Amino acid sequence: MLKTAYSWHRPLMLFTLSMAVLTPIAALGMLLDDRMLLDSPIWFKPFKFAVSFTLYSASLAWFTSLLEGRLRRIAWWLGTVFAAAGVAEMAIITVQVTRGKRSHFNFETPLDGALFGAMGLLAMVLFSTSLVIAILLFRKKFDNPAQSWVIRLSLLVALVGMSVGFLMTQPRAGQSREGGVIGSHSIGGPDGGSYMPLTGWSTVHGDLRIGHFIGMHAVQILPLLIFFAGRWANARLAWVLSGGYLGLTVLVTWQALRGQSLINPDALTLTVAAALVVATALGVTWALQPQNKNNNKELVNA
């Protein structure tokens, strides 16, 4: 049974609440502030980050609440560091919005470069704290094997999604500090231009934000899939769904690295996507087969 939200990690829940408050403020900013940055409303980035942090930090708060004793104490400090780093990152993004500047990949001035450098360090803190919490979850014994594996594996997939962000910081052809920009979301063209509604993902170039977003939010989607599976949920299903979701994260990242828009896949991308769907469907069929208790110990009792 899920513990009440009142027992979840308080600093993370306070951070979640602050991001939930910032979300409508940023949405209002998009309506009232007519400034544009890279062809989109200037408040669009803090809006997306606030939504993403709301979802991710709430999930992390739940995960840490499942730990006990020394593991929980360690996770409490890690979660607190994560929350503090998240606040600092959102503060930088918001400050840059008020200055009318892009927050990412910006080296136009020493201040812009310093702020982006600080965001890089904060991203490492967010990644590292999540990684150690994932390790702690692997050390805990759960009563529910399906829940235990989907929580652990979803956080590992989220870490893969987070790591896609580091690919964005790599210099592209022709970029230099003198030009004011190093790195980009897009592959095959500059950031900006035509984009999808709601997500802001490019419709003309590869976009690394897709794999970043999909991977990070495994921590919501995979536990929900196991929850809705109900009586059919088991450890094997958790592994299959997690493997399929990881495959999707890698697929859209690979597609982006080839400079290909999500909505314009080529034959190779479609073939790999079809193979992934078939493999996942076969895996789900296998996972739902009646299990021999003598031969299956629910993956070493979770």
Side-chain angles (χ1 to χ4, degrees):
M1 180 180 296
L2 297 181
K3 296 184 178 181
T4 174
Y6 291 109
S7 68
W8 293 5
H9 191 284
R10 183 164 297 180
L12 279 172
M13 290 306 293
L14 288 173
F15 176 54
T16 299
L17 178 61
S18 69
M19 292 299 99
V21 171
L22 180 59
T23 298
I25 293 175
L28 190 62
M30 288 191 288
L31 293 175
L32 301 180
D33 191 338
D34 59 1
R35 290 179 298 167
M36 302 290 286
L37 185 64
L38 297 175
D39 301 314
S40 66
I42 198 168
W43 283 95
F44 191 33
K45 183 178 288 291
F47 173 80
K48 291 193 298 180
F49 268 72
V51 171
S52 185
F53 266 132
T54 297
L55 296 172
Y56 188 87
S57 58
S59 297
L60 204 62
W62 171 42
F63 291 173
T64 58
S65 75
L66 301 174
L67 296 168
E68 299 169 342
R70 185 172 64 90
L71 296 181
R72 182 161 183 164
R73 288 192 294 274
I74 296 172
W76 190 92
W77 285 107
L78 292 167
T80 302
V81 171
F82 182 99
V87 169
E89 179 160 354
M90 287 305 300
I92 293 173
I93 291 172
T94 305
V95 164
Q96 288 295 72
V97 166
T98 60
R99 296 179 64 229
K101 301 281 189 175
R102 61 186 296 176
S103 54
H104 289 70
F105 323 122
N106 188 354
F107 292 89
E108 290 181 358
T109 68
L111 176 59
D112 292 324
L115 290 175
F116 181 57
M119 290 182 67
L121 293 175
L122 292 168
M124 288 299 300
V125 172
L126 297 172
F127 181 88
S128 299
T129 50
S130 296
L131 174 60
V132 179
I133 290 172
I135 293 171
L136 296 178
L137 288 165
F138 270 89
R139 297 191 61 182
K140 175 182 168 53
K141 295 292 184 181
F142 288 82
D143 295 329
N144 185 325
Q147 183 190 75
S148 69
W149 282 112
V150 81
I151 287 172
R152 296 161 174 164
L153 296 173
S154 68
L155 193 46
L156 291 182
V157 176
L159 288 166
V160 173
M162 278 190 189
S163 67
V164 175
F166 299 119
L167 296 177
M168 302 178 194
T169 64
Q170 302 305 305
R172 310 294 181 224
Q175 288 185 338
S176 67
R177 286 182 180 266
E178 290 71 24
V181 176
I182 296 180
S184 68
H185 302 132
S186 301
I187 302 293
D191 288 340
S194 178
Y195 57 87
M196 301 178 216
L198 298 180
T199 64
W201 298 334
S202 176
T203 59
V204 292
H205 305 301
D207 198 322
L208 291 169
R209 291 174 297 182
I210 301 170
H212 185 57
F213 177 87
I214 289 175
M216 278 192 62
H217 294 291
V219 291
Q220 290 89 46
I221 294 173
L222 289 172
L224 281 174
L225 289 175
I226 287 296
F227 173 77
F228 287 118
R231 64 185 181 88
W232 291 284
N234 57 52
R236 295 195 300 188
L237 183 62
W239 273 88
V240 169
L241 293 177
S242 298
Y245 198 92
L246 175 61
L248 175 62
T249 302
V250 173
L251 172 62
V252 295
T253 302
W254 172 63
Q255 182 185 15
L257 288 170
R258 292 161 58 223
Q260 190 178 112
S261 167
L262 179 68
I263 61 174
N264 291 307
D266 61 12
L268 179 58
T269 300
L270 290 174
T271 300
V272 174
L276 177 62
V277 170
V278 170
T280 304
L282 290 174
V284 169
T285 301
W286 164 76
L288 297 181
Q289 294 299 311
Q291 300 177 34
N292 187 323
K293 293 183 179 179
N294 293 325
N295 295 328
N296 178 48
K297 299 297 183 182
E298 285 287 11
L299 300 180
V300 196
N301 297 321

PDB file of all heavy atoms in Angstrom, residues 179-201:
ATOM      1  N   GLY A 179      31.076  33.271 -30.836  1.00  0.00           N
ATOM      2  CA  GLY A 179      29.755  33.351 -31.450  1.00  0.00           C
ATOM      3  C   GLY A 179      28.630  33.436 -30.440  1.00  0.00           C
ATOM      4  O   GLY A 179      27.481  33.689 -30.809  1.00  0.00           O
ATOM      5  N   GLY A 180      28.956  33.189 -29.172  1.00  0.00           N
ATOM      6  CA  GLY A 180      27.963  33.361 -28.116  1.00  0.00           C
ATOM      7  C   GLY A 180      27.145  32.140 -27.801  1.00  0.00           C
ATOM      8  O   GLY A 180      26.371  32.148 -26.841  1.00  0.00           O
ATOM      9  N   VAL A 181      27.285  31.047 -28.574  1.00  0.00           N
ATOM     10  CA  VAL A 181      26.473  29.847 -28.352  1.00  0.00           C
ATOM     11  C   VAL A 181      27.335  28.611 -28.527  1.00  0.00           C
ATOM     12  O   VAL A 181      28.059  28.491 -29.521  1.00  0.00           O
ATOM     13  CB  VAL A 181      25.273  29.773 -29.328  1.00  0.00           C
ATOM     14  CG1 VAL A 181      24.503  28.475 -29.130  1.00  0.00           C
ATOM     15  CG2 VAL A 181      24.349  30.961 -29.129  1.00  0.00           C
ATOM     16  N   ILE A 182      27.276  27.707 -27.553  1.00  0.00           N
ATOM     17  CA  ILE A 182      27.927  26.399 -27.677  1.00  0.00           C
ATOM     18  C   ILE A 182      26.933  25.340 -27.223  1.00  0.00           C
ATOM     19  O   ILE A 182      26.481  25.349 -26.079  1.00  0.00           O
ATOM     20  CB  ILE A 182      29.210  26.316 -26.824  1.00  0.00           C
ATOM     21  CG1 ILE A 182      30.252  27.310 -27.322  1.00  0.00           C
ATOM     22  CG2 ILE A 182      29.777  24.899 -26.864  1.00  0.00           C
ATOM     23  CD1 ILE A 182      31.553  27.291 -26.539  1.00  0.00           C
ATOM     24  N   GLY A 183      26.611  24.420 -28.135  1.00  0.00           N
ATOM     25  CA  GLY A 183      25.619  23.397 -27.847  1.00  0.00           C
ATOM     26  C   GLY A 183      24.256  23.790 -28.387  1.00  0.00           C
ATOM     27  O   GLY A 183      24.022  24.940 -28.774  1.00  0.00           O
ATOM     28  N   SER A 184      23.353  22.824 -28.432  1.00  0.00           N
ATOM     29  CA  SER A 184      21.996  23.091 -28.906  1.00  0.00           C
ATOM     30  C   SER A 184      21.102  21.898 -28.612  1.00  0.00           C
ATOM     31  O   SER A 184      21.579  20.787 -28.371  1.00  0.00           O
ATOM     32  CB  SER A 184      21.984  23.383 -30.409  1.00  0.00           C
ATOM     33  OG  SER A 184      22.307  22.214 -31.144  1.00  0.00           O
ATOM     34  N   HIS A 185      19.796  22.165 -28.640  1.00  0.00           N
ATOM     35  CA  HIS A 185      18.831  21.072 -28.546  1.00  0.00           C
ATOM     36  C   HIS A 185      18.750  20.321 -29.871  1.00  0.00           C
ATOM     37  O   HIS A 185      18.483  19.121 -29.910  1.00  0.00           O
ATOM     38  CB  HIS A 185      17.429  21.610 -28.225  1.00  0.00           C
ATOM     39  CG  HIS A 185      17.352  22.397 -26.953  1.00  0.00           C
ATOM     40  ND1 HIS A 185      16.727  23.624 -26.882  1.00  0.00           N
ATOM     41  CD2 HIS A 185      17.806  22.119 -25.715  1.00  0.00           C
ATOM     42  CE1 HIS A 185      16.794  24.067 -25.643  1.00  0.00           C
ATOM     43  NE2 HIS A 185      17.448  23.185 -24.915  1.00  0.00           N
ATOM     44  N   SER A 186      18.918  21.071 -30.948  1.00  0.00           N
ATOM     45  CA  SER A 186      18.670  20.541 -32.283  1.00  0.00           C
ATOM     46  C   SER A 186      19.920  19.936 -32.910  1.00  0.00           C
ATOM     47  O   SER A 186      21.034  20.395 -32.660  1.00  0.00           O
ATOM     48  CB  SER A 186      18.128  21.648 -33.198  1.00  0.00           C
ATOM     49  OG  SER A 186      16.925  22.178 -32.682  1.00  0.00           O
ATOM     50  N   ILE A 187      19.698  18.934 -33.734  1.00  0.00           N
ATOM     51  CA  ILE A 187      20.756  18.316 -34.525  1.00  0.00           C
ATOM     52  C   ILE A 187      20.382  18.465 -35.994  1.00  0.00           C
ATOM     53  O   ILE A 187      19.275  18.102 -36.398  1.00  0.00           O
ATOM     54  CB  ILE A 187      20.919  16.821 -34.190  1.00  0.00           C
ATOM     55  CG1 ILE A 187      21.218  16.620 -32.707  1.00  0.00           C
ATOM     56  CG2 ILE A 187      22.001  16.188 -35.059  1.00  0.00           C
ATOM     57  CD1 ILE A 187      22.551  17.141 -32.262  1.00  0.00           C
ATOM     58  N   GLY A 188      21.301  18.999 -36.786  1.00  0.00           N
ATOM     59  CA  GLY A 188      21.032  19.187 -38.204  1.00  0.00           C
ATOM     60  C   GLY A 188      20.596  20.592 -38.551  1.00  0.00           C
ATOM     61  O   GLY A 188      20.320  20.898 -39.708  1.00  0.00           O
ATOM     62  N   GLY A 189      20.532  21.454 -37.556  1.00  0.00           N
ATOM     63  CA  GLY A 189      20.137  22.836 -37.783  1.00  0.00           C
ATOM     64  C   GLY A 189      20.129  23.590 -36.467  1.00  0.00           C
ATOM     65  O   GLY A 189      20.224  22.985 -35.391  1.00  0.00           O
ATOM     66  N   PRO A 190      19.992  24.905 -36.511  1.00  0.00           N
ATOM     67  CA  PRO A 190      20.007  25.702 -35.276  1.00  0.00           C
ATOM     68  C   PRO A 190      18.715  25.543 -34.489  1.00  0.00           C
ATOM     69  O   PRO A 190      17.680  25.135 -35.031  1.00  0.00           O
ATOM     70  CB  PRO A 190      20.159  27.133 -35.792  1.00  0.00           C
ATOM     71  CG  PRO A 190      19.519  27.106 -37.158  1.00  0.00           C
ATOM     72  CD  PRO A 190      19.846  25.745 -37.720  1.00  0.00           C
ATOM     73  N   ASP A 191      18.780  25.861 -33.193  1.00  0.00           N
ATOM     74  CA  ASP A 191      17.571  25.875 -32.379  1.00  0.00           C
ATOM     75  C   ASP A 191      16.615  26.939 -32.909  1.00  0.00           C
ATOM     76  O   ASP A 191      17.022  27.945 -33.497  1.00  0.00           O
ATOM     77  CB  ASP A 191      17.906  26.185 -30.920  1.00  0.00           C
ATOM     78  CG  ASP A 191      18.614  25.027 -30.219  1.00  0.00           C
ATOM     79  OD1 ASP A 191      18.501  23.890 -30.713  1.00  0.00           O
ATOM     80  OD2 ASP A 191      19.280  25.272 -29.201  1.00  0.00           O
ATOM     81  N   GLY A 192      15.329  26.712 -32.648  1.00  0.00           N
ATOM     82  CA  GLY A 192      14.322  27.637 -33.139  1.00  0.00           C
ATOM     83  C   GLY A 192      13.633  27.089 -34.370  1.00  0.00           C
ATOM     84  O   GLY A 192      13.784  25.914 -34.723  1.00  0.00           O
ATOM     85  N   GLY A 193      12.870  27.926 -35.046  1.00  0.00           N
ATOM     86  CA  GLY A 193      12.149  27.490 -36.234  1.00  0.00           C
ATOM     87  C   GLY A 193      10.834  26.818 -35.881  1.00  0.00           C
ATOM     88  O   GLY A 193      10.315  26.961 -34.774  1.00  0.00           O
ATOM     89  N   SER A 194      10.311  26.064 -36.835  1.00  0.00           N
ATOM     90  CA  SER A 194       9.011  25.418 -36.661  1.00  0.00           C
ATOM     91  C   SER A 194       9.071  24.366 -35.562  1.00  0.00           C
ATOM     92  O   SER A 194      10.034  23.601 -35.467  1.00  0.00           O
ATOM     93  CB  SER A 194       8.593  24.765 -37.986  1.00  0.00           C
ATOM     94  OG  SER A 194       7.360  24.092 -37.842  1.00  0.00           O
ATOM     95  N   TYR A 195       8.035  24.323 -34.717  1.00  0.00           N
ATOM     96  CA  TYR A 195       8.031  23.361 -33.613  1.00  0.00           C
ATOM     97  C   TYR A 195       6.617  22.855 -33.349  1.00  0.00           C
ATOM     98  O   TYR A 195       5.626  23.447 -33.768  1.00  0.00           O
ATOM     99  CB  TYR A 195       8.611  23.987 -32.340  1.00  0.00           C
ATOM    100  CG  TYR A 195       7.908  25.249 -31.872  1.00  0.00           C
ATOM    101  CD1 TYR A 195       6.797  25.172 -31.032  1.00  0.00           C
ATOM    102  CD2 TYR A 195       8.350  26.506 -32.266  1.00  0.00           C
ATOM    103  CE1 TYR A 195       6.146  26.326 -30.601  1.00  0.00           C
ATOM    104  CE2 TYR A 195       7.702  27.653 -31.840  1.00  0.00           C
ATOM    105  CZ  TYR A 195       6.607  27.560 -31.011  1.00  0.00           C
ATOM    106  OH  TYR A 195       5.956  28.699 -30.592  1.00  0.00           O
ATOM    107  N   MET A 196       6.542  21.733 -32.652  1.00  0.00           N
ATOM    108  CA  MET A 196       5.260  21.132 -32.310  1.00  0.00           C
ATOM    109  C   MET A 196       4.575  21.915 -31.205  1.00  0.00           C
ATOM    110  O   MET A 196       5.240  22.444 -30.311  1.00  0.00           O
ATOM    111  CB  MET A 196       5.456  19.682 -31.834  1.00  0.00           C
ATOM    112  CG  MET A 196       6.100  18.771 -32.832  1.00  0.00           C
ATOM    113  SD  MET A 196       6.330  17.113 -32.145  1.00  0.00           S
ATOM    114  CE  MET A 196       7.892  16.659 -32.883  1.00  0.00           C
ATOM    115  N   PRO A 197       3.238  22.004 -31.249  1.00  0.00           N
ATOM    116  CA  PRO A 197       2.527  22.664 -30.155  1.00  0.00           C
ATOM    117  C   PRO A 197       2.682  21.877 -28.858  1.00  0.00           C
ATOM    118  O   PRO A 197       2.917  20.672 -28.871  1.00  0.00           O
ATOM    119  CB  PRO A 197       1.069  22.662 -30.633  1.00  0.00           C
ATOM    120  CG  PRO A 197       0.992  21.553 -31.626  1.00  0.00           C
ATOM    121  CD  PRO A 197       2.330  21.500 -32.291  1.00  0.00           C
ATOM    122  N   LEU A 198       2.582  22.556 -27.737  1.00  0.00           N
ATOM    123  CA  LEU A 198       2.676  22.011 -26.383  1.00  0.00           C
ATOM    124  C   LEU A 198       4.092  21.598 -26.000  1.00  0.00           C
ATOM    125  O   LEU A 198       4.598  21.979 -24.952  1.00  0.00           O
ATOM    126  CB  LEU A 198       1.723  20.820 -26.198  1.00  0.00           C
ATOM    127  CG  LEU A 198       0.234  21.123 -26.366  1.00  0.00           C
ATOM    128  CD1 LEU A 198      -0.589  19.859 -26.159  1.00  0.00           C
ATOM    129  CD2 LEU A 198      -0.216  22.209 -25.395  1.00  0.00           C
ATOM    130  N   THR A 199       4.756  20.794 -26.843  1.00  0.00           N
ATOM    131  CA  THR A 199       6.090  20.302 -26.486  1.00  0.00           C
ATOM    132  C   THR A 199       7.201  21.258 -26.886  1.00  0.00           C
ATOM    133  O   THR A 199       8.238  21.334 -26.223  1.00  0.00           O
ATOM    134  CB  THR A 199       6.362  18.946 -27.144  1.00  0.00           C
ATOM    135  OG1 THR A 199       6.376  19.109 -28.572  1.00  0.00           O
ATOM    136  CG2 THR A 199       5.298  17.929 -26.752  1.00  0.00           C
ATOM    137  N   GLY A 200       7.026  21.966 -27.997  1.00  0.00           N
ATOM    138  CA  GLY A 200       8.079  22.838 -28.503  1.00  0.00           C
ATOM    139  C   GLY A 200       9.175  22.103 -29.241  1.00  0.00           C
ATOM    140  O   GLY A 200      10.204  22.691 -29.591  1.00  0.00           O
ATOM    141  N   TRP A 201       8.988  20.815 -29.517  1.00  0.00           N
ATOM    142  CA  TRP A 201      10.009  20.035 -30.220  1.00  0.00           C
ATOM    143  C   TRP A 201      10.040  20.400 -31.695  1.00  0.00           C
ATOM    144  O   TRP A 201       8.999  20.628 -32.327  1.00  0.00           O
ATOM    145  CB  TRP A 201       9.741  18.545 -30.048  1.00  0.00           C
ATOM    146  CG  TRP A 201       9.793  18.082 -28.625  1.00  0.00           C
ATOM    147  CD1 TRP A 201      10.491  18.667 -27.601  1.00  0.00           C
ATOM    148  CD2 TRP A 201       9.120  16.961 -28.055  1.00  0.00           C
ATOM    149  NE1 TRP A 201      10.296  17.964 -26.432  1.00  0.00           N
ATOM    150  CE2 TRP A 201       9.457  16.909 -26.676  1.00  0.00           C
ATOM    151  CE3 TRP A 201       8.273  15.981 -28.568  1.00  0.00           C
ATOM    152  CZ2 TRP A 201       8.974  15.930 -25.820  1.00  0.00           C
ATOM    153  CZ3 TRP A 201       7.784  14.992 -27.716  1.00  0.00           C
ATOM    154  CH2 TRP A 201       8.133  14.975 -26.357  1.00  0.00           C
TER     155      TRP A 201
END
